[in-house]
Amino acid sequence: MRPGPALRAALVCALALGALTACSAELDADDVEYAGDYSSHSPLAVVGYPSRDTLGITQQVVWRIADGKAGELAALGDDRQDNSATRKTAENWITAFRTGAAGRVTAEFYDEGSYRQTVVLYLHDTHQIKQLHVLPVSVDRGTAYRVSMAEPDPAEATAVAPWVPKTPGELGSKSVR
């Protein structure tokens, strides 16, 4: 016995609703995680022109440093790099910048982010500056953004490049190297 047109339409609707519900549940979990992170941290001020992806990963870096979550911070690193160096870099960044990352932070995004975007974090409460490189990497489903984390030496992790201005916006978000 074949189902009638009304029953077929009801089945199609039920399947579509089920598929949409499954997709929205995944999105809702990401949204809930983001909202939890966002509401439990100071807002990130932004100078320059980040993409959605470079802004998103930069926020996560600041949040993971502030929370002292070395494993989660290291997971944001470029997986083409040495895992032990990435983990040590994450630990160095947390040791050096945790207090500042928990307070007011401005992220200045230099140049454009299709190849690599330089981001300078200004940690206002501690008067520290941290330079990051955010880069796109190929993954199974396209492109993801990761952070270069190759600073296993604590002195290297806290060094500030000579071109980096002392305050956000001095160079108009254009690097001069």
Side-chain angles (χ1 to χ4, degrees):
M1 178 171 164
R2 296 181 65 187
L7 182 57
R8 278 193 300 250
L11 287 172
V12 168
C13 287
L15 287 172
L17 182 60
L20 289 173
T21 303
C23 291
S24 70
E26 183 178 319
L27 291 175
D28 289 341
D30 289 343
D31 290 343
V32 168
E33 181 181 0
Y34 179 83
D37 270 334
Y38 191 85
S39 66
S40 63
H41 297 90
S42 295
L44 182 68
V46 174
V47 175
Y49 301 97
S51 70
R52 184 178 127 194
D53 295 318
T54 59
L55 175 59
I57 195 161
T58 300
Q59 283 185 307
Q60 289 181 55
V61 167
V62 173
W63 294 339
R64 300 308 160 246
I65 292 171
D67 294 342
K69 295 184 175 180
E72 290 181 28
L73 178 57
L76 301 174
D78 181 359
D79 57 7
R80 297 172 297 180
Q81 296 172 330
D82 175 34
N83 286 340
S84 63
T86 299
R87 177 64 186 216
K88 183 64 179 151
T89 299
E91 292 167 0
N92 288 338
W93 289 3
I94 288 168
T95 299
F97 303 110
R98 186 172 185 182
T99 301
R104 288 185 329 114
V105 178
T106 297
E108 183 162 12
F109 293 81
Y110 285 87
D111 304 318
E112 63 91 25
S114 63
Y115 168 69
R116 177 179 87 165
Q117 190 157 33
T118 298
V119 181
V120 177
L121 302 176
Y122 294 90
L123 309 160
H124 298 286
D125 296 350
T126 58
H127 307 286
Q128 293 173 292
I129 298 172
K130 176 66 192 141
Q131 179 182 346
L132 307 173
H133 295 289
V134 176
L135 54 149
V137 296
S138 294
V139 293
D140 292 340
R141 292 181 280 165
T143 302
Y145 280 75
R146 298 288 184 253
V147 178
S148 178
M149 296 180 74
E151 300 172 344
D153 178 355
E156 186 179 19
T158 58
V160 178
W163 71 268
V164 174
K166 301 293 181 225
T167 58
E170 272 183 48
L171 296 178
S173 299
K174 297 285 184 201
S175 57
V176 282
R177 292 181 242 176

